[in-house]
Amino acid sequence: MSSKENIKRFEDYEIEEFLSDEFFVQWVKNPDENTTHFWEKWLVANPGKRPLVTEAAAVVRSIRYSPESALSDEDYVELFENIIRAEEGLREEPGNRGEKEGKWYSFFSVRRAAAFFLLGLAAWAIYASWPRSETVQPEVRWITKVNPKGQKTSVRLKDGTLIHLNSKTILAYPEDFSETQREVRLLSGEAFFDVEKESRPFKVLLPSAEVEVLGTDFNVKQNGDRQLSVALVEGSVKVKDTLGNQVMLVPSEMLQIDENGNLNKSNFDVREITGWKDKYLVFKNDDFAAVVQKLENWYGVDIRFEGELPKGWAYSGIYFDESLANTLEGISQTSQIKYSIQEKQVKITGKK
Amino acid sequence: MNKNPKSSAEKTVVPLRHFETIKIYEDKSDQEIWKSFNLGDETAFNYIYRTYVKDLYRYGWQYSKDGDLVKDCIQNLFIYLRRKRGELSEVANIRAYLYRCIQAEISKNRKNEARFRHAEADYHEGTFAMEVSPETSLIDSESALSRHELLAKSLNQLTPKQRKALLLFYEDGLSYREISALMEFSEVKTARKLIYRAIASLKDLLKPTTNR
């Protein structure tokens, strides 16, 4: 199919034709260079068709599965562990492989397994899934810590390194480090590292990058799959991303990687970025969505919003170890919102 | 991140000579990823799990409203696939392949599930309930809400087959070829027709006209 033919063909399209055209849907769903180039050019040549195309694209994007049920984050982790675990059970009893074919795994039924696991906490390793570096010894036991919304913890490793874990964070670390290096894995969320100085290098492996340090204090925040920020308080760190970029940070520098993999280095406000580990909840010119997200994660609540807010609404403030009610009270005093709390549900009303 | 001026500071990108990159699967074809998985690459498995497990659960849910059953089936499926590494055949589209597997796994396991009390029809066709996401504004604002609701209602009055095809096409981004294979049509044009007819029947609701 040449582009010329395409252009001709699409000129006569009605909405139902756009909506049943693979090439069009592909552009809306997973735009690549080819489709983007084509459709942008086509729209310039056919400006009259723009409303139709916009509408068709809106329809494609808006049709979804009804969100009746979703796999929870806990189940997501637990299923994964069961799958890896089943494999290990198998390895211990190689004789079972053939004869019990197709049956043996019923031992690991989710329902039964649930009774054996303390959900969320100190769960089994995710190590088998991770890119292995040559030095990792298979017999090392990994411990996975999972912090749900509203829960912050800290963990001290065998070498003396202290790690603060923010809410909604998953960290895996070995029970013991190898003789040559120290590695931990931050699977999602945010952690502050106070690394003990010694000769073995310390590495934080992330889904899309790694951070290598000697002795140092720094904060790592993994947002989604690729967004990442690393803020250095003391010492020095080196960040390597999957594209082969490598950046050195000096104290008070922060490196941010956006979802497109772009790197950006800047200075940062220590209280704003690392205050959470010392129980400081910090808002700095945050828009409403950012405030809501911080509150939800910090206190483990769900927030519902009603009404309207003035354009450009923003909030700044610092709270030290405050209750949810006090924090909301503080916010409501200086900005145009009201609130009510019912257990884990918060309703915020905007009064424009 | 908010719009603090600090984020617009200097840009530093340092290229590197010798660095073992973690493989980036996003840029690889499904075929290559599956091949890596088949060869025992754990990163590939991790990538597949992370990318598809939530959607797989959602798809399985269309065939059984028993969440534990769906979870068990997903678990069994992945355990099975991991066990068969080294002898798995080629897969062109991982999503379509996993969907087909989970559908088979659920119908196999459900026979043993006395607890399943849904109507017989749900068994084979799946439910495939749809919604029209509220954040998309369909163009004309005044009648937008009612059109929205009307569209959602009409969509859910399509046959389960039509809904399934539309969801696979729009939400899952599968091609006609993949949809045909998944729905066991012998010809690709059957899927095309199914979707075209469903959309054509909604045509009046979809047109960006203001006078309704």
Side-chain angles (χ1 to χ4, degrees):
Chain A
M1 236 189 309
S2 83
S3 295
K4 264 241 162 76
E5 282 166 40
N6 272 336
I7 290 173
K8 252 210 167 118
R9 181 159 64 96
F10 293 127
E11 269 165 12
D12 310 324
Y13 263 23
E14 295 291 337
I15 191 152
E16 67 271 28
E17 272 128 0
F18 279 113
L19 283 171
S20 48
D21 190 281
E22 270 179 326
F23 190 62
F24 177 76
V25 174
Q26 195 196 337
W27 171 57
V28 177
K29 290 296 296 183
N30 307 301
D32 59 19
E33 230 170 274
N34 183 20
T35 50
T36 306
H37 176 77
F38 172 81
W39 285 103
E40 277 170 7
K41 219 172 83 189
W42 188 83
L43 279 169
V44 170
N46 299 276
K49 289 280 181 182
R50 193 174 276 275
L52 198 60
V53 164
T54 311
E55 182 71 359
V59 171
V60 170
R61 288 201 198 93
S62 64
I63 289 181
R64 303 199 178 152
Y65 285 87
S66 176
E68 302 161 76
S69 169
L71 191 64
S72 70
D73 290 347
E74 277 152 17
D75 287 339
Y76 174 89
V77 173
E78 195 193 328
L79 269 184
F80 189 92
E81 287 159 3
N82 291 350
I83 291 163
I84 300 297
R85 225 186 153 116
E87 187 102 347
E88 277 157 10
L90 191 71
R91 239 182 263 137
E92 281 161 23
E93 303 167 84
N96 286 349
R97 202 175 254 251
E99 44 186 314
K100 285 195 180 174
E101 181 114 359
K103 282 262 161 98
W104 62 274
Y105 51 66
S106 60
F107 274 106
F108 297 95
S109 144
V110 169
R111 258 163 267 147
R112 261 172 258 182
F116 291 100
F117 294 140
L118 276 176
L119 274 184
L121 284 176
W124 188 265
I126 301 193
Y127 77 90
S129 67
W130 211 265
R132 276 173 209 270
S133 69
E134 317 81 309
T135 41
V136 174
Q137 286 139 22
E139 62 269 30
V140 173
R141 280 171 53 90
W142 283 74
I143 296 158
T144 307
K145 256 188 133 49
V146 181
N147 273 3
K149 217 158 83 168
Q151 184 182 314
K152 290 188 263 308
T153 55
S154 62
V155 51
R156 193 173 284 279
L157 306 181
K158 281 267 170 76
D159 68 333
T161 293
L162 179 66
I163 306 177
H164 295 270
L165 302 179
N166 209 337
S167 52
K168 280 180 89 173
T169 297
I170 305 178
L171 176 88
Y173 57 95
E175 214 168 38
D176 260 319
F177 289 119
S178 75
E179 276 168 28
T180 51
Q181 67 176 333
R182 299 174 287 169
E183 281 185 353
V184 300
R185 284 153 194 159
L186 183 63
L187 294 137
S188 68
E190 180 169 26
F192 183 91
F193 296 84
D194 182 351
V195 175
E196 192 65 26
K197 277 197 183 70
E198 56 154 271
S199 56
R200 291 177 294 181
F202 189 97
K203 271 189 194 171
V204 182
L205 305 180
L206 299 143
S208 62
E210 62 177 67
V211 183
E212 194 184 317
V213 298
L214 284 165
T216 197
D217 294 355
F218 63 104
N219 193 74
V220 179
K221 184 172 182 181
Q222 176 78 29
N223 251 348
D225 269 359
R226 304 190 62 179
Q227 263 177 295
L228 171 72
S229 76
V230 179
L232 179 65
V233 178
E234 216 188 286
S236 85
V237 303
K238 188 155 69 181
V239 183
K240 299 168 173 179
D241 72 9
T242 47
L243 302 173
N245 298 309
Q246 149 173 293
V247 179
M248 288 285 291
L249 295 180
V250 299
S252 87
E253 276 186 335
M254 174 162 77
L255 174 74
Q256 290 175 291
I257 304 179
D258 68 19
E259 62 233 313
N260 299 319
N262 297 317
L263 279 63
N264 184 3
K265 204 152 96 171
S266 60
N267 294 322
F268 68 97
D269 175 343
V270 175
R271 174 62 60 78
E272 182 193 358
I273 301 298
T274 70
W276 62 268
K277 73 174 170 65
D278 304 316
K279 301 182 180 167
Y280 285 99
L281 173 56
V282 182
F283 302 99
K284 194 172 176 187
N285 204 21
D286 285 345
D287 62 18
F288 188 69
V291 170
V292 165
Q293 199 181 21
K294 282 184 183 174
L295 288 171
E296 285 190 333
N297 291 346
W298 193 275
Y299 295 106
V301 295
D302 286 320
I303 295 179
R304 212 155 46 86
F305 176 72
E306 273 173 17
E308 269 183 87
L309 288 171
K311 259 219 174 90
W313 187 97
Y315 181 73
S316 300
I318 296 181
Y319 295 88
F320 174 66
D321 205 12
E322 279 297 354
S323 69
L324 173 63
N326 284 347
T327 302
L328 282 168
E329 186 58 36
I331 297 174
S332 73
Q333 273 170 12
T334 53
S335 60
Q336 293 94 321
I337 61 157
K338 282 197 268 189
Y339 68 94
S340 64
I341 307 172
Q342 208 144 34
E343 287 177 14
K344 292 270 167 195
Q345 303 290 324
V346 176
K347 194 169 96 179
I348 294 182
T349 324
K351 31 176 190 178
K352 199 176 176 180
Chain B
M1 285 296 133
N2 47 33
K3 328 108 210 162
N4 288 337
K6 65 182 179 217
S7 52
S8 59
E10 51 164 328
K11 212 162 188 168
T12 325
V13 177
V14 189
L16 181 79
R17 266 154 291 158
H18 303 289
F19 177 54
E20 274 183 296
T21 51
I22 301 165
K23 283 165 202 150
I24 319 164
Y25 288 100
E26 271 137 55
D27 297 335
K28 292 199 169 179
S29 73
D30 278 18
Q31 229 160 346
E32 289 172 289
I33 296 168
W34 194 256
K35 206 171 150 196
S36 304
F37 167 62
N38 192 28
L39 291 172
D41 182 341
E42 289 292 355
T43 337
F45 170 69
N46 186 282
Y47 176 81
I48 291 168
Y49 183 84
R50 276 201 299 174
T51 311
Y52 297 110
V53 76
K54 291 207 171 182
D55 290 357
L56 207 50
Y57 180 80
R58 183 178 67 193
Y59 186 80
W61 178 258
Q62 307 306 324
Y63 290 94
S64 169
K65 303 299 173 211
D66 179 347
D68 283 341
L69 172 75
V70 178
K71 276 183 264 168
D72 275 351
C73 288
I74 291 173
Q75 194 175 303
N76 292 350
L77 170 61
F78 277 121
I79 291 172
Y80 172 82
L81 291 172
R82 286 174 61 86
R83 202 156 45 104
K84 289 283 178 198
R85 276 177 299 184
E87 33 189 302
L88 293 168
S89 47
E90 273 190 23
V91 164
N93 185 295
I94 296 175
R95 176 185 298 275
Y97 175 75
L98 292 176
Y99 278 10
R100 196 162 57 211
C101 292
I102 202 69
Q103 194 175 328
E105 185 73 23
I106 287 174
S107 72
K108 191 175 86 194
N109 282 286
R110 204 175 24 205
K111 282 173 197 147
N112 316 322
E113 289 285 324
R115 297 190 295 137
F116 191 83
R117 294 190 223 291
H118 277 268
E120 186 73 13
D122 286 355
Y123 255 72
H124 304 295
E125 305 224 293
T127 45
F128 294 97
M130 281 176 163
E131 70 159 21
V132 180
S133 75
E135 65 261 37
T136 315
S137 75
L138 295 175
I139 279 171
D140 38 333
S141 54
E142 264 183 50
S143 59
L145 188 65
S146 57
R147 267 185 74 206
H148 228 135
E149 285 171 358
L150 219 53
L151 181 57
K153 212 170 135 192
S154 314
L155 282 170
N156 280 311
Q157 277 163 0
L158 297 171
T159 65
K161 250 191 195 154
Q162 285 175 316
R163 291 202 301 269
K164 177 177 178 181
L166 285 180
L167 285 170
L168 292 174
F169 194 45
Y170 294 147
E171 169 117 38
D172 290 318
L174 295 185
S175 69
Y176 281 132
R177 179 174 299 280
E178 288 145 9
I179 294 170
S180 302
L182 191 56
M183 297 184 76
E184 296 176 332
F185 298 145
S186 52
E187 287 178 285
V188 174
K189 68 176 183 214
T190 314
R192 196 191 309 271
K193 259 193 222 159
L194 187 68
I195 286 173
Y196 182 83
R197 285 197 185 135
I199 289 297
S201 77
L202 302 168
K203 188 178 173 180
D204 288 343
L205 285 171
L206 297 172
K207 265 194 193 157
T209 47
T210 35
N211 49 349
R212 176 167 305 110

